[in-house]
Amino acid sequence: MAEPLLIEHDDGIDRVTLNRPESLNALDPALIDALNDYFESLQRNRKTRVVVLKGAGANFCAGLDLKHAMASRAGQNTPRSVTESLDSQRRIADIVMLMRRCPQPIVALVQGAAAGGGFALALAADIRIAAKSARMNCAFIKLGLGGCDIGSSYFLPRLVGVSVASELILTGRFIYADRALAVGLVSEVVEDGQLEAAAVPYVDAMMTASPVGLRLSKECINMSVDAGSIEAVIAMEDRNQVLCSRSEDFEEGIRAFIEKRKPVYVTR
């Protein structure tokens, strides 16, 4: 049986592939566990500096594997308890929380379907690049559930504003690549087959940042989104800049800038 999640490490960059193309990379228990384990492992990982997340085949991720879920449900003699259902629900939601907590920036390459839980994975990334085939939606409300799930009601209003977020969450309608670019949901739209090439400039730029500076920048963005005041944001920024300025990387960054070359940082 093929591994549900493929991880290729290359000199500070993890290329992570959802590997269930025959099921549109839908989330079954094995893939859910693999994603949780992987993003949990990044919390204290100093070798990985940037993560590129994509789906195998023509789609990013079609959300929860409903066929597997219904088959599992049919095989139960009694319905799950509330506690069991909550544990199962939270296991999926843990993925996006771990994605936000991990210090490495995540670039999501979205092509084809990114529905339901797959859309949530894309939303939890730091940068999203879409192929022209990309179609994304909050599928939950179409399945007899509420429209808010796996962080969608947190991420969407912050990315596209309350009006567009409400439209997507309350209707479950798809948003396609061109409109996603227009509302700021993705950074770029490229031809199908060009996603990995399109990601290179983003990854290269982040890899030229100091390892500590990059991690602290993601942390600061996370904190600033929910900060109660400009004073709280400035305090976080000041702390980060003082920490970075005391590191060897700052000296190397200044030398590299003056000498017009790429900096060579000590990975930590």
Side-chain angles (χ1 to χ4, degrees):
M1 184 178 296
E3 291 292 325
L5 193 68
L6 302 180
I7 302 163
E8 178 187 355
H9 184 81
D10 178 24
D11 195 22
I13 304 164
D14 277 4
R15 292 181 172 84
V16 180
T17 305
L18 311 177
N19 190 38
R20 302 188 69 231
E22 72 288 349
S23 301
L24 310 185
N25 300 313
L27 299 167
D28 71 344
L31 182 52
I32 291 168
D33 286 346
L35 284 165
N36 270 300
D37 291 345
Y38 171 71
F39 285 111
E40 175 69 31
S41 75
L42 291 180
Q43 306 304 308
R44 297 291 181 268
N45 182 333
R46 295 293 180 257
K47 293 182 179 179
T48 298
R49 294 171 57 188
V50 178
V51 175
V52 179
L53 180 66
K54 65 177 183 177
N59 297 277
F60 182 69
C61 174
L64 184 65
D65 190 329
L66 294 177
K67 291 182 179 178
H68 186 281
M70 293 308 294
S72 176
R73 190 169 181 172
Q76 294 176 335
N77 295 325
T78 57
R80 281 183 172 182
S81 69
V82 170
T83 301
E84 290 172 329
S85 296
L86 185 58
D87 286 346
S88 178
Q89 173 77 14
R90 185 54 54 86
R91 185 66 175 159
I92 304 172
D94 280 344
I95 300 168
V96 301
M97 289 192 284
L98 289 168
M99 290 174 69
R100 295 316 308 150
R101 289 173 188 158
C102 76
Q104 298 84 355
I106 302 166
V107 181
L109 307 183
V110 183
Q111 62 184 13
F119 191 22
L121 294 180
L123 293 175
D126 298 280
I127 298 171
R128 285 156 295 279
I129 305 173
K132 287 187 175 180
S133 64
R135 56 192 189 279
M136 299 166 274
N137 80 328
C138 295
F140 321 107
I141 205 162
K142 290 179 172 291
L143 303 172
L145 298 169
C148 303
D149 198 10
I150 319 177
S152 59
S153 62
Y154 178 87
F155 293 120
L156 268 174
R158 287 164 170 78
L159 290 168
V160 301
V162 174
S163 180
V164 175
S166 297
E167 170 204 334
L168 298 176
I169 289 171
L170 298 175
T171 68
R173 70 193 301 178
F174 279 101
I175 183 168
Y176 295 89
D178 288 344
R179 188 180 179 210
L181 180 64
V183 300
L185 184 56
V186 301
S187 295
E188 189 175 348
V189 174
V190 299
E191 297 289 339
D192 282 39
Q194 297 299 312
L195 278 173
E196 293 195 50
V200 170
Y202 297 86
V203 174
D204 283 352
M206 288 186 285
M207 290 296 290
T208 63
S210 76
V212 173
L214 192 63
R215 292 199 303 271
L216 291 180
S217 295
K218 174 169 177 174
E219 179 188 62
C220 193
I221 292 170
N222 283 341
M223 297 292 186
S224 297
V225 166
D226 294 323
S229 66
I230 182 66
E231 288 82 7
V233 173
I234 294 295
M236 172 68 70
E237 292 178 344
D238 287 348
R239 182 207 72 161
N240 289 355
Q241 297 300 57
V242 169
L243 288 173
C244 289
S245 70
R246 298 296 181 90
S247 72
E248 298 157 351
D249 289 343
F250 178 62
E251 295 179 7
E252 167 60 12
I254 294 295
R255 282 196 300 269
F257 179 79
I258 293 172
E259 296 169 8
K260 294 182 171 54
R261 60 173 174 81
K262 285 188 176 182
V264 179
Y265 294 120
V266 178
T267 302
R268 299 178 184 83

